[in-house]
């Protein structure tokens, strides 16, 4: 179990790129220039009298075809919406699990990360799914062609679609995600600050890459860093260069741009996304925030935290 007492003021091991906000402003302008093209169709799960199960298909950057599950309770008045992001690598949870928020009267959209375990396309790479390597995908080319840059642009397009969906209360758009989903959640809040009302984030991935390297934690989810260094920089002379480039997708560098309240969870026995790296994200948040530490919990579901979301998302205003 990690003792975090020495990391109360820790802000990460790598400086934020000087043009970070300019870079992402330009990427959002590009995403906003994409003509919205989306369809809502009934899913393979039958609708119930109180709830619809829909497939949301839309065109993303470069014309890629993206998918999301859309669970929408029937209501005569506008309802809140949870944007849910899944872990790495993989796909969204089952329709049954995605129905969790419907009982609270919340709609839910769960995005499939393109080119991972679901049906979405990542046209910057290959047409089919891939199992790993997304961190370093595009690292040798222009920064704007990196996998997670395109993904966050596609999330921007999804947020534009959300604004058009009938029956949704745009004053209560929430974010929920853990691991890769936590990284996406932080980036979504940072890049769409006028839309997201509050967020629940667990053990965010893609955080403090240099610390991951120094801890020797570049395995499992972070294994791409180790492969890249061995194959393309075996003597380490270019490490500063490629760590600086990874800075554009480092979750900790988005944190200061988040405006909405954030409820944050860390398992102190997490060996996949080490707690020290999560400190770099949490400490950089300047928004209203609260962090819950769970001794003995690793990179896993934390049921107590899940239950807190009933109250956190269920109230008109966020209370931390």
């Amino acid at each position: 179990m990690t003792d975090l007492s020495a990391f109360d003021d820790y802000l990460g091991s790598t400086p934020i790129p000087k043009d970070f906000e300019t870079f992402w402003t330009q990427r959002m302008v590009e995403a906003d220039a994409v003509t919205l093209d989306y369809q809502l169709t009934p899913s393979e799960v039958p609708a119930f009298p109180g709830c619809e199960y829909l497939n949301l298909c839309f065109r993303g950057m470069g014309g890629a075809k993206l998918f999301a599950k859309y669970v929408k309770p029937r209501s005569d008045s506008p309802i809140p919406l949870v944007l849910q992001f899944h872990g790495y690598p993989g796909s969204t949870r089952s329709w049954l699990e995605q129905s969790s928020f419907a009982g609270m009267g919340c709609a839910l959209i769960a995005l499939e990360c393109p080119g991972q375990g679901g049906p979405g396309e990542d046209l910057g790479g290959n047409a089919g799914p891939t199992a790993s390597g997304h961190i370093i995908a595009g690292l040798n080319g222009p920064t704007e062609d990196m996998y997670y840059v395109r993904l966050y642009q596609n999330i921007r397009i999804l947020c534009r679609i959300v604004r058009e969906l009938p029956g949704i209360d745009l004053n209560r758009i929430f974010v929920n995600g853990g691991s890769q989903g936590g990284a996406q959640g932080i980036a979504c809040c940072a890049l769409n600050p006028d839309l997201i009302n509050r967020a629940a984030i667990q053990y965010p991935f893609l955080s403090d890459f240099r610390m991951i390297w120094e801890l020797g934690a570049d395995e499992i989810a972070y294994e791409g860093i180790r492969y890249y260094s061995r194959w393309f920089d075996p003597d380490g002379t270019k490490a500063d260069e490629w760590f600086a480039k990874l800075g554009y997708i480092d979750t900790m560098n988005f944190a200061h741009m988040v405006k909405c309240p954030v409820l944050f969870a860390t398992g102190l026995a997490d060996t996949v996304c080490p707690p020290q790296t999560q400190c770099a994200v949490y400490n950089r948040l300047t928004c209203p925030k609260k962090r819950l530490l769970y001794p003995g919990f690793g990179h896993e579901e934390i049921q107590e935290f899940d239950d807190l979301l009933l109250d956190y998302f269920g109230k008109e205003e966020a209370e931390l």
Side-chain angles (χ1 to χ4, degrees), residues 31 66 85 99 121 129 176 189 198 204 225 232 240:
L66 285 92
F85 302 110
S99 300
E121 297 176 337
N176 185 41
C189 294
R198 70 196 79 158
I225 298 176
F232 301 107
D240 287 345

Side-chain angles (χ1 to χ4, degrees), residues 63-274:
K65 192 173 185 180
L66 285 92
F67 294 87
K69 291 175 177 173
Y70 184 19
V71 181
K72 185 183 181 187
R74 301 184 192 277
S75 175
D76 294 330
S77 57
I79 58 176
L81 171 73
V82 176
L83 287 173
Q84 183 142 292
F85 302 110
H86 68 75
Y88 178 80
S91 61
T92 58
R93 302 282 187 172
S94 67
W95 286 103
L96 177 64
E97 290 187 68
Q98 301 294 7
S99 300
S100 300
F101 291 107
M104 298 167 54
C106 289
L108 178 139
I109 290 178
L111 177 68
E112 297 282 3
C113 287
Q116 292 190 17
E121 297 176 337
D122 175 34
L123 292 187
N126 299 307
T130 49
S132 62
H134 300 89
I135 293 175
I136 63 171
L139 192 54
N140 279 357
T143 306
E144 56 268 27
D145 290 341
M146 294 176 67
Y147 173 86
Y148 284 102
V149 173
R150 287 194 303 273
L151 177 56
Y152 294 162
Q153 288 180 302
N154 286 327
I155 290 174
R156 173 66 164 223
I157 294 170
L158 177 60
C159 286
R160 292 173 56 207
I161 293 170
V162 165
R163 296 177 188 275
E164 294 192 359
L165 295 177
I168 298 301
D169 183 353
L170 294 180
N171 292 314
R172 290 189 291 167
I173 306 298
F174 311 141
V175 157
N176 185 41
S179 194
Q180 177 181 242
Q184 292 175 77
I186 291 288
C188 179
C189 294
L191 298 174
N192 304 276
D194 59 334
L195 179 66
I196 308 304
N197 177 270
R198 70 196 79 158
I201 303 295
Q202 297 183 69
Y203 36 76
F205 181 46
L206 305 176
S207 303
D208 199 2
F209 290 111
R210 194 102 199 196
M211 172 63 83
I212 290 291
W213 176 261
E214 292 171 358
L215 290 172
D218 50 322
E219 299 176 328
I220 313 176
Y222 284 101
E223 66 177 359
I225 298 176
R226 178 164 298 196
Y227 290 141
Y228 185 88
S229 66
R230 289 174 65 88
W231 295 340
F232 301 107
D233 189 25
D235 62 0
T237 56
K238 298 180 180 178
D240 287 345
E241 178 182 330
W242 49 268
F243 273 120
K245 196 167 183 179
L246 287 171
Y248 289 95
I249 61 168
D250 197 314
T251 305
M252 69 181 190
N253 291 336
F254 290 100
H256 73 283
M257 298 166 60
V258 175
K259 305 300 181 186
C260 69
V262 174
L263 186 64
F264 196 107
T266 295
L268 293 180
D270 194 336
T271 57
V272 177
C273 294

